[in-house]
Structures are given as structure tokens and as C-alpha cells.
Amino acid sequence: MTDRPPFVAGNWKMHLTRPEAAALAAATADAAQARPGVEVGIFPPYTLLDVVHEALDDSPVVLGGQACHGADSGAHTGEISAPMLVESGCTAVLCGHSERRAAGESDHEVGVRVRAALRAGLRVVLCVGETLPQREEGETDTVLVHQLDAGLADVEPAALEHVDVAYEPVWAIGTGRTATPAMAAEAHATLRRRLVSRFGDPGQGPRILYGGSVKPSNARELMHTDDVGGVLVGGASLDAESFRAIIESA
Ligand code: PGA
């Protein structure tokens, strides 16, 4: 396990106008300032990175992209590279979010992107999670281990201090259904065992975040579950008061 502070991360997905983004970023910076023992991050759409970066000013809130390409530049229409995120003020990036995997990002491609992000000096939040049919077929552990292995392929143990893993059961994302603390604990234990068996003592290595319909009413219990090092929040991160309440419960 790691003694890094809990990480509360907001994935804004494809939401918000520029004025809304500036206001929410400022409110999030305030909420983060009130809880210095909690690391807070936001992951806005690319076109809002500049306005959010400006609104965050010198706040310690981590700014991240929602994805990056595996190449530093090239003929990849519609994609953004890790160095471009750095240039836009980002210090982190999500890799392998299930909505990206559903749009065709393979396990192998996720690994390529993780390595590109680390090469550029970004912190990575590697997202993994099973679908409902996979859970019902008893394949959860196999899927998690496979996604973790592929996502961290060819990553040096020393780089793990720049990596967090987010367990996000696909059936819990945006559905209002949340994994029970027992389900989260079991999945996190599977991921932790695999990390230790592949990389040895993780030192300051990955926190394992939980994600999927996290809201103020369930955040505290989830965050006090064994080896839950924080939360990755979608919908509830778009509302300043909800996100503040989640930060306060960490
Ligand atoms: P949700 O999204 O909190 O809206 O379920 C979580 C995520 O996709 O990271």
C-alpha cells in the first residue's frame, strides 16, 4: 500500500462551456484549498484546458487530459499527444477510460498511450474495469489483471510512482449503480496483488481509486474501504457543491 494522500479526481467528460468551466475550476480550487491533506484533480475536455489552467492559477489542483495518443506527433486526425497536454498546462492524463475502450482503444493501445504519457512526464491514471456480462460470467479478476498488465506493459517499476490505477466497473459508470464496498475491496485487492507480484514492493507506487457513480452520499464509505486510495468522479464532479462534499469526505 502507499501513504500518498487520497486523490479525488473529477472527469468532466464532454461537458461545460468556457464560463462554466472557469467557475467550476475556481470553486474546485477553493474546495481543495480547504482540504490540504487531499489531492484534487480535474480532467476537462481539451478545448477547456487553457481556461481551466488560468482559473486554477497557482492552486495545487492537478490538471489532466482525458486521453492522449501514443505518438508524440504525426498524422492522427482528431488526436492529442502527451507533449501537447504538457504544453496546455497538464501534469496528468487518464488512460484507458472505459468510454475510450468502448470507442475502440485496445488493451495494447492503452499500454502504448501510458508509456507515451510517462515519457512526456505526465502522471497517469490507468482505468480498468469489467462489464456486467464479464462480472456475471465470473471473469472480473481475469479482465482486471489483463487490463492492468497490458496498460503497464514495459513500464519500469521506478515509473510507478507516477501511476495511479482507477477501478471503474463499467456497469457502475453513469448508471447510478455503485459497487458495494465489499466488491470494491475485492477488486482493489486483486489489482494490488498483481501490482506487487509484477513490480515487487510498490513503495510510493500506485494508489487504487474507485470510480463509478461516486456521489456525496456514498463517497465516504467507499473511501474508507480497504485500499481505496481515492475516487474518480464523473457526473458529480460537474456540480461544485457535490464535488466539494466528496473532497470533504476524503
Ligand atoms: P460517473 O463516471 O461518476 O458519472 O459514473 C465515472 C467515470 O466515468 O470516471
Side-chain angles (χ1 to χ4, degrees):
M1 241 179 267
T2 155
D3 53 13
R4 287 159 77 185
F7 188 30
V8 176
N11 174 9
W12 290 4
K13 306 194 180 183
M14 197 173 72
H15 290 289
L16 304 182
T17 63
R18 292 172 72 80
E20 287 165 348
L24 183 57
T28 300
D30 278 352
Q33 199 176 14
R35 287 304 302 264
V38 179
E39 190 170 16
V40 177
I42 46 183
F43 296 78
Y46 303 129
T47 54
L48 299 178
L49 288 173
D50 62 335
V51 73
V52 171
H53 188 228
E54 197 179 307
L56 289 177
D57 199 10
D58 57 359
S59 132
V61 171
V62 172
L63 178 62
Q66 295 176 9
C68 68
H69 196 268
D72 289 351
S73 63
H76 303 291
T77 304
E79 296 282 352
I80 301 280
S81 73
M84 288 171 176
L85 290 179
V86 172
E87 219 179 15
S88 303
C90 291
T91 57
V93 65
L94 304 180
C95 289
H97 189 280
S98 65
E99 287 155 12
R100 304 276 315 170
R101 294 181 190 266
E105 222 172 272
S106 69
D107 293 344
H108 171 77
E109 185 60 34
V110 172
V112 173
R113 290 168 184 236
V114 165
R115 293 196 295 280
L118 291 172
R119 221 172 32 241
L122 291 169
R123 284 234 331 256
V124 167
V125 179
L126 170 63
C127 305
V128 300
E130 81 288 359
T131 62
L132 191 56
Q134 287 167 334
R135 174 163 281 271
E136 287 171 349
E137 290 301 313
E139 294 166 0
T140 298
D141 283 5
T142 314
V143 169
L144 296 183
V145 166
H146 183 77
Q147 291 183 351
L148 186 74
D149 283 354
L152 297 180
D154 299 318
V155 169
E156 295 297 324
L160 282 195
E161 71 177 276
H162 306 295
V163 174
D164 291 306
V165 175
Y167 168 58
E168 297 206 300
V170 178
W171 48 270
I173 294 179
T175 58
R177 290 183 64 187
T178 316
T180 62
M183 282 174 179
E186 202 178 316
H188 285 221
T190 298
L191 291 164
R192 182 64 67 194
R193 272 195 304 276
R194 187 62 179 180
L195 283 168
V196 171
S197 76
R198 269 201 58 198
F199 295 100
D201 177 2
Q204 288 306 299
R207 288 168 293 202
I208 305 178
L209 318 182
Y210 170 80
S213 296
V214 174
K215 35 190 187 273
S217 59
N218 60 24
R220 184 177 301 275
E221 190 180 22
L222 284 162
M223 269 187 287
H224 289 84
T225 298
D226 218 18
D227 207 1
V228 173
V231 284
L232 179 54
V233 187
S237 73
L238 295 170
D239 178 78
E241 282 320 303
S242 298
F243 200 49
R244 176 189 297 274
I246 294 171
I247 292 167
E248 281 170 358
S249 65

